[in-house]
Amino acid sequence: FDTSVFSPEPIGTFGNAKRNFFHGPGYNYSDMTIYKDFPLAKESQYIEIRLEGYNAFNHANFAQPSGNLSAGPGNFGYVTGVDENVEANGQQTDPLPGRAVQLVGKIYF
């Protein structure tokens, strides 16, 4: 983006850029489920077969750019890294990996 339109504000004053002015790419997850119920002997008993797909269209989801504004002079306006959402156990949360599909069978009685 054009960095020439930004200037540092005097200490103790507010700038004129609105809150959350910058934003990164959004996430696009399309989850789909297809299921069929097969009746058994009694009306209240049936078998359900379900096919579930998470991120069914395998859309690429990129991490948000890092908001590190103190990366050094000359780096303002450049993406030098991305934010990695990491849980306490070390697992990365977003963006999620590619497509995942599972087949499920349930018996209701």
Side-chain angles (χ1 to χ4, degrees):
F1 61 88
D2 183 14
T3 60
S4 65
V5 297
F6 295 95
S7 63
E9 294 294 323
I11 295 176
T13 62
F14 295 105
N16 59 358
K18 61 184 175 183
R19 183 174 179 217
N20 297 330
F21 179 70
F22 297 108
H23 57 87
Y27 297 128
N28 185 358
Y29 297 113
S30 299
D31 299 338
M32 299 179 77
T33 301
I34 299 172
Y35 70 95
K36 173 76 176 161
D37 293 336
F38 297 97
L40 293 176
K42 295 183 180 178
E43 285 185 22
S44 62
Q45 297 176 349
Y46 59 95
I47 296 175
E48 179 182 87
I49 303 295
R50 178 189 312 230
L51 181 68
E52 299 174 342
Y54 302 99
N55 195 6
F57 300 117
N58 206 17
H59 187 271
N61 294 294
F62 300 102
Q64 300 294 326
S66 107
N68 184 4
L69 299 176
S70 62
N75 285 332
F76 181 67
Y78 294 96
V79 176
T80 58
V82 295
D83 285 337
E84 294 185 22
N85 298 332
V86 179
E87 293 179 353
N89 61 1
Q91 292 288 344
Q92 186 173 350
T93 56
D94 271 326
L96 294 174
R99 175 186 311 128
V101 179
Q102 66 181 7
L103 180 64
V104 179
K106 285 182 170 180
I107 299 175
Y108 291 91
F109 56 93

